[in-house]
Amino acid sequence: MNPEFLRYVEWLRGHGVPFEIAGALVRDEDHDGPLVEGDEEMRPVEIPGIPPFVEHRDPQGGRAADHATLSLARALIPRIAPGTRFWDIGCGTGVLAVAAGLKGASAIVATDVDEKAIALARRTAADANVAIRFSHGVLLEAVPARLEADLVAANLPHKPCPAGGTLPLSQRAGPDGTDIHAAFAAQAAARLGAGATVGFWLHSLPDPKLLHAYAGAFDLTLVSWKRRFLQPGEYRGLLPFLLDRVDKGTSYMAEESGHRFLVGSVWLARHR
């Protein structure tokens, strides 16, 4: 197994995170470029296993699918069968929900706290002719209580950001990077039925207690990983804060030839 991946796994194990590594672990393509590609308001999306479609986006406003969204999509699409009840929590521009619909998912629900993102997602879905129930609100609170899900995508913010930090809403998640996932995990534990699965993409900056938030009610499996290289000037004034976290062992970052990178991974959390 790749030594870089093993070092990350050892770091997680050192924090006591209980998880399995998928037998068919996927080595995803490394990302060495801007977080969001291009500045177009409409951009084609190609994901293996489904027809291509067009994303309506606002890159300047931080509303656009990025490499993490596509990694999560590639991991979830093979797990969707016709009739799979699918929720997309923190849907952004709707790429995951639309992809699920094109694979045959049903009873699709997509939620976000950002009304502008939902407006874009509606256009993405309409162009792809995918029926989605959109709801504006916070996490699972926006999903009607009578509805049930088999598979839930939770592409949620998880970057650590101190008070007064300048990260956009779509990225910041409190000083440890855990606030939003911790809230969602608690809601999901109470709301989802046995066997329901949550899929999420995670880079290595948040405190591993984020994964502990799921471990009480879910079985965790790491299904894919890649390196996500930082770009010159990325995070600007936030970088010293992040490097201090790395020194303290609460974030993970490595280097190759002086080029810093994070480990990005897709996780499945199956409700017990």
Side-chain angles (χ1 to χ4, degrees), residues 42-61:
M42 298 173 63
R43 187 175 176 88
V45 177
E46 295 185 2
I47 299 167
I50 59 171
F53 61 96
V54 173
E55 175 197 14
H56 289 261
R57 59 209 291 268
D58 171 23
Q60 300 304 315

Side-chain angles (χ1 to χ4, degrees), residues 40-57 64-66 69-74 77 80 86 88 91-104 108 120-132 134:
E40 312 96 320
E41 293 184 353
M42 298 173 63
R43 187 175 176 88
V45 177
E46 295 185 2
I47 299 167
I50 59 171
F53 61 96
V54 173
E55 175 197 14
H56 289 261
R57 59 209 291 268
D66 60 11
T69 307
L70 298 179
S71 286
L72 183 55
R74 288 191 291 268
I77 287 300
I80 296 173
F86 185 88
D88 184 3
C91 67
T93 58
V95 165
L96 294 173
V98 168
L102 291 173
K103 185 65 187 296
I108 304 170
L120 292 167
R122 289 184 188 277
R123 294 164 64 187
T124 300
D127 277 5
N129 198 29
V130 173
I132 298 173
F134 289 100

Side-chain angles (χ1 to χ4, degrees), residues 9-242:
V9 167
E10 290 170 1
W11 178 73
L12 291 175
R13 300 283 194 208
H15 283 269
V17 178
F19 67 96
E20 301 293 330
I21 298 173
L25 178 71
V26 173
R27 175 64 167 94
D28 207 351
E29 182 179 353
D30 289 341
H31 184 75
D32 189 0
L35 185 64
V36 174
E37 301 282 353
D39 58 4
E40 312 96 320
E41 293 184 353
M42 298 173 63
R43 187 175 176 88
V45 177
E46 295 185 2
I47 299 167
I50 59 171
F53 61 96
V54 173
E55 175 197 14
H56 289 261
R57 59 209 291 268
D58 171 23
Q60 300 304 315
R63 302 176 185 92
D66 60 11
H67 69 98
T69 307
L70 298 179
S71 286
L72 183 55
R74 288 191 291 268
L76 295 184
I77 287 300
R79 293 171 168 83
I80 296 173
T84 297
R85 295 169 298 180
F86 185 88
W87 297 350
D88 184 3
I89 308 303
C91 67
T93 58
V95 165
L96 294 173
V98 168
L102 291 173
K103 185 65 187 296
S106 66
I108 304 170
V109 177
T111 76
D112 206 290
V113 296
D114 183 351
E115 291 183 342
K116 292 181 179 179
I118 288 180
L120 292 167
R122 289 184 188 277
R123 294 164 64 187
T124 300
D127 277 5
N129 198 29
V130 173
I132 298 173
R133 177 175 185 150
F134 289 100
S135 182
H136 173 248
V138 178
L139 303 176
L140 293 181
E141 295 172 10
V143 180
R146 68 182 183 277
L147 301 182
E148 297 181 351
D150 303 304
L151 181 60
V152 180
N155 196 20
L156 302 172
H158 55 278
K159 283 189 175 71
C161 186
T166 57
L167 287 177
L169 176 66
S170 60
Q171 298 183 35
R172 62 179 183 264
D176 287 326
T178 61
D179 289 3
I180 297 175
H181 268 282
F184 170 79
Q187 292 179 7
R191 177 72 185 273
L192 300 180
T197 298
V198 176
F200 55 94
W201 192 90
L202 204 65
H203 56 58
S204 55
L205 288 177
D207 193 301
K209 65 185 180 184
L210 183 155
L211 291 168
H212 281 286
Y214 287 94
F218 296 84
D219 294 323
L220 288 164
T221 303
L222 197 165
V223 299
S224 77
W225 78 282
K226 66 181 178 183
R227 298 180 299 177
R228 196 290 225 193
F229 287 91
L230 301 188
Q231 301 305 295
E234 190 171 359
Y235 296 132
R236 298 185 180 87
L238 191 60
L239 188 58
F241 166 76
L242 296 176

